Amino acid sequence: MGRTRRGAATAALVLLMAAACAGEDAEADGRSMSPVSRGSADDPDAAPSDHPSSEGEHTPELPPTSGAFDYQLGGAYTPSDPIDVVVRDATAEPLKGAYNVCYVNGFQTQPDDAAMWEEHADLLLHDAHGDLVTDPDWDDEYILDPSGSTQRDDILEVLAPVITGCAAVGYDAVEIDNLDTFDRFDRIDENGAMALASAYVDLAHESGLAIAQKNAAEITATAHEELGFDFAVAEECGAYDECAAYTGVYGAHVLQIEYPDSLEDAGMTFADVCALPDRAPLTILRDRDLVAQDADGYRYESC
């Protein structure tokens, strides 16, 4: 719940650019470009359990828990005041001097990529009639179907260059959106979704990136302790009374975003959110479309 409109540039172009950048950087510093399946070698469809660090694997740096935070998916900009942590779409460049989190839609498709994904219809969720399923709240987004091991491998083949590309251009972490599709769409196998999530974790860590859980507040303990997510990005946890689910597991390493419309629906003000004992240290209010600072409708407040 609480998802916002993401960046509009096509991922097809991003894939080409990211693959080229990541390939050059990976060759230079020895990073692996290959996605790693978290399923058992004997049973690739099995859900992962423990998530030990690989021998010699670099521990990614987590985002700061104090300072200024911004969420810029609707348009990247350089604020007049310094920013310590920022989340930007994978199509945008990192912000110099900040801890940068790269947004990647890991379980649904981006709106401008429909034609590209339609060519990979076997990787998309179909309903009982064989029609492609879209998100009821975002009818221009198809749902990825990670239920089978071959499907997961092929999804990773498409999206791995985006994640490694984030690392190549200087991002510190990646946010994987829509982890909760298994809970919102009955035809998705939960074990398959967890295996894909864990593969994203491995790929991020191999690329030197920390990785954030996004959505699925009900499985934060599993996401952190078993799948290996390092921190969380929580939209509207104040409005939906879910903040403790994130901060109770990730502690201070939660980036929290609230929106005026959902707070109004909940009968809350942003001041009410800031007074919550279980809110994240870095909590902000943004406009629903996350527009750039000089655009109409821009709004930003912080606790």
Side-chain angles (χ1 to χ4, degrees):
M1 63 179 62
R3 296 191 304 109
T4 56
R5 178 61 63 194
R6 273 83 52 175
T10 62
L13 176 59
V14 176
L15 289 172
L16 292 174
M17 296 174 64
C21 293
E24 293 172 1
D25 280 39
E27 184 177 355
D29 66 13
R31 287 198 303 267
S32 169
M33 288 286 291
S34 301
V36 177
S37 172
R38 289 286 301 151
S40 160
D42 295 327
D43 182 10
D45 288 316
S49 53
D50 298 325
H51 192 282
S53 298
S54 300
E55 184 177 352
E57 183 179 280
H58 173 69
T59 302
E61 179 185 359
L62 296 181
T65 57
S66 62
F69 162 52
D70 202 356
Y71 204 57
Q72 299 185 357
L73 301 190
Y77 58 93
T78 302
S80 53
D81 296 323
I83 291 293
D84 299 284
V85 187
V86 65
V87 180
R88 288 181 166 182
D89 189 79
T91 60
E93 292 293 319
L95 176 64
K96 186 176 181 181
Y99 183 99
N100 287 270
V101 182
C102 184
Y103 172 92
V104 177
N105 198 349
F107 291 87
Q108 296 186 189
T109 69
Q110 290 292 81
D112 289 346
D113 298 337
M116 184 269 288
W117 281 106
E118 285 166 0
E119 296 177 1
H120 302 278
D122 57 317
L123 308 182
L124 304 175
L125 187 66
H126 294 70
D127 63 20
H129 304 289
D131 298 323
L132 292 176
V133 177
T134 58
D135 188 326
D137 295 325
W138 302 98
D139 59 8
D140 51 4
E141 294 187 17
Y142 293 125
I143 311 303
L144 298 180
D145 186 0
S147 299
S149 59
T150 300
Q151 289 169 296
R152 293 194 296 274
D153 289 344
D154 290 346
I155 289 169
L156 282 165
E157 185 175 348
V158 175
L159 291 179
V162 180
I163 295 172
T164 55
C166 291
V169 299
Y171 277 94
D172 302 288
V174 61
E175 168 197 333
I176 300 293
D177 200 8
N178 292 308
L179 175 61
D180 61 341
T181 55
F182 74 90
D183 191 47
R184 293 187 287 120
F185 301 95
D186 292 340
R187 298 178 72 85
I188 291 179
D189 176 69
E190 181 175 351
N191 282 349
M194 295 302 98
L196 179 60
S198 195
Y200 284 140
V201 169
D202 281 349
L203 180 60
H205 287 169
E206 289 172 2
S207 302
L209 299 170
I211 184 168
Q213 176 187 348
K214 176 74 168 294
N215 305 123
E218 68 279 5
I219 64 161
T220 50
T222 296
H224 180 48
E225 297 165 12
E226 297 184 21
L227 302 182
F229 284 93
D230 302 299
F231 66 104
V233 175
E235 286 183 299
E236 302 177 308
C237 72
Y240 289 103
D241 193 23
E242 293 179 336
C243 294
Y246 293 102
T247 57
V249 171
Y250 292 101
H253 290 290
V254 178
L255 304 176
Q256 180 175 340
I257 310 97
E258 301 289 338
Y259 300 103
D261 55 332
S262 57
L263 288 179
E264 182 178 358
D265 290 344
M268 299 177 69
T269 66
F270 186 56
D272 293 332
V273 172
C274 292
L276 293 174
D278 55 6
R279 71 160 176 90
L282 295 183
T283 296
I284 61 172
L285 178 74
R286 281 298 327 260
D287 54 280
R288 173 64 66 179
D289 292 329
L290 300 170
V291 299
Q293 194 169 33
D294 58 353
D296 292 340
Y298 170 82
R299 188 168 180 184
Y300 177 93
E301 296 179 41
S302 63
C303 291

